[in-house]
Amino acid sequence: MTHLARSRFPHRHLLGIAQLEAEDIELVLDLADSYVEVQRRPEKKLEILRGFTQINLFFESSTRTRTSFELAGKRLGADVVNMAVQHSAIRKGETLIDTAMTLNAMRPDVLVIRHADSGAVALLARHVRCSVINAGDGSHEHPTQALLDALTIRRRKGRIAGLTVAICGDIAHSRVARSNMLLLGRLGARVRAVGPRTLVPREIASYGVEIHHDMRRGLEGADIVMMLRLQTERMQGSFVPSVREYFRFYGLTRDKLRHAAPDALIMHPGPMNRGVEIDGEVADDIHRSAILDQVEMGVAVRMACLDLLTRDRRPAADGDGFRPEGG
Ligand code: NCD
């Protein structure tokens, strides 16, 4: 425990997995493991971030990610403010950078930002003094999702190195896929990108993944089957002939799942479209599906990230209130 309380995270912002070394990732996961225990107690609230302000600025709609960040901040004792962008000055023509500078002048300690444009979060981070966490920028990165996926896998399988992970579906438009390919590769998993040619372009191979257009072959022996939604909001034009056709070839059904390892774990970042990328019955199989575990791990991982990013600004960071075993 002590090594966790003392460890320093050498980053001010969490903008992507691309900036993290394997040991940074492991530090987040180890700390998040202890926060899972905190969350399972009746009394969940710590004082680590008392006096700190966290602003959640979501330019794209979100339910689970925003709620998860809000709970994480509150469980650490921070004051958390959710900015509803629909009503903000952005709608009145203010630029993104002006919004960031205005918020910065209110002296938050952490800004959690989601934006529809790849690179927008990194741009904002250059104009503020606080820590910035990327909660998803366009089809670029969604680092806390990959970290929570890794925590889910590590807890269910005991390791990440050496596992075969099949990421299936709309890889082209998915920030979840990009962050996961980077993280899983860095921790030594074998990653496959599985889907139609239109959604798994050849350039994806530059992430060090194997490409499969045949779902059955892509699933062969996989330990983890990670399904992704068709991100129609990011598609210009038509990428699949029809939803029915898509489900027939790429939807995860019991039949296709038989090609994966017998104890393969099913994952999905949500929101899930039943009958499009996944059969409802497969998604609900409590023995195989880790989808709700992922949601639980999300809060713990975000608590770990908030804790690590603010450590250098907290007095006595090596003991202040983080007592997961005791209270
Ligand atoms: C994902 C996202 O927003 O990138 N959702 C999430 O954060 N849980 C995936 C998606 O929208 O399909």
Side-chain angles (χ1 to χ4, degrees), residues 51-308:
F52 280 64
T53 306
Q54 170 188 334
I55 301 183
N56 295 335
L57 182 60
F58 279 62
F59 293 95
E60 259 190 350
S61 61
S62 162
T63 320
R64 85 193 67 213
T65 305
R66 196 190 52 68
T67 311
S68 180
F69 269 112
E70 183 175 355
L71 278 178
K74 287 182 170 165
R75 286 184 181 163
L76 292 177
D79 295 314
V80 183
V81 178
N82 291 310
M83 283 268 307
V85 175
Q86 307 83 288
H87 307 300
S88 75
I90 286 275
R91 287 277 176 265
K92 300 178 189 167
E94 186 177 74
T95 67
L96 202 54
I97 292 172
D98 282 331
T99 303
M101 284 166 63
T102 303
L103 291 177
N104 184 54
M106 297 178 191
R107 299 200 154 265
D109 301 285
V110 182
L111 267 176
V112 179
I113 309 176
R114 169 170 284 193
H115 196 281
D117 296 335
S118 301
V121 179
L123 174 72
L124 292 184
R126 287 206 290 275
H127 291 86
V128 298
R129 290 158 51 118
C130 62
S131 289
V132 171
I133 300 182
N134 180 4
D137 64 322
S139 50
H140 176 230
E141 279 232 42
H142 189 355
T144 57
Q145 179 69 45
L147 288 162
L148 76 88
D149 290 338
L151 184 65
T152 307
I153 297 172
R154 206 176 73 164
R155 289 175 69 98
R156 293 281 288 251
K157 295 282 178 196
R159 69 196 164 105
I160 289 176
L163 294 179
T164 299
V165 183
I167 306 181
C168 310
D170 184 1
I171 315 271
H173 301 98
S174 175
R175 53 198 176 205
V176 174
R178 280 187 182 69
S179 291
N180 262 304
M181 293 187 294
L182 290 168
L183 186 154
L184 293 166
R186 200 143 301 167
L187 293 194
R190 274 190 301 272
V191 185
R192 298 179 188 156
V194 186
R197 276 171 217 283
T198 46
L199 299 177
V200 185
R202 231 176 309 163
E203 308 83 77
I204 294 288
S206 65
Y207 283 83
V209 301
E210 233 178 74
I211 292 182
H212 288 271
H213 301 300
D214 179 290
M215 179 90 167
R216 287 179 175 80
R217 286 177 58 186
L219 291 183
E220 203 65 61
D223 300 294
I224 308 290
V225 179
M226 193 181 284
M227 300 307 301
L228 299 172
R229 182 176 65 91
L230 288 177
Q231 311 232 323
T232 43
E233 73 277 23
R234 294 189 215 295
M235 293 180 189
Q236 267 142 21
S238 164
F239 282 76
V240 294
S242 76
V243 163
R244 260 188 70 208
E245 191 95 330
Y246 183 78
F247 182 72
R248 190 166 142 232
F249 287 101
Y250 295 103
L252 186 66
T253 55
R254 235 172 241 302
D255 184 45
K256 292 196 195 83
L257 191 58
R258 270 194 267 279
H259 296 266
D263 59 347
L265 208 59
I266 302 163
M267 300 176 68
H268 194 306
M272 187 158 64
N273 291 155
R274 290 168 187 264
V276 181
E277 75 272 8
I278 190 165
D279 179 61
E281 202 193 304
V282 172
D284 296 332
D285 182 341
I286 51 164
H287 303 294
R288 310 295 296 274
S289 165
I291 296 172
L292 295 177
D293 283 20
Q294 289 172 270
V295 179
E296 181 184 8
M297 296 309 125
V299 182
V301 152
R302 287 163 182 133
M303 288 170 84
C305 294
L306 290 166
D307 175 349
L308 289 170

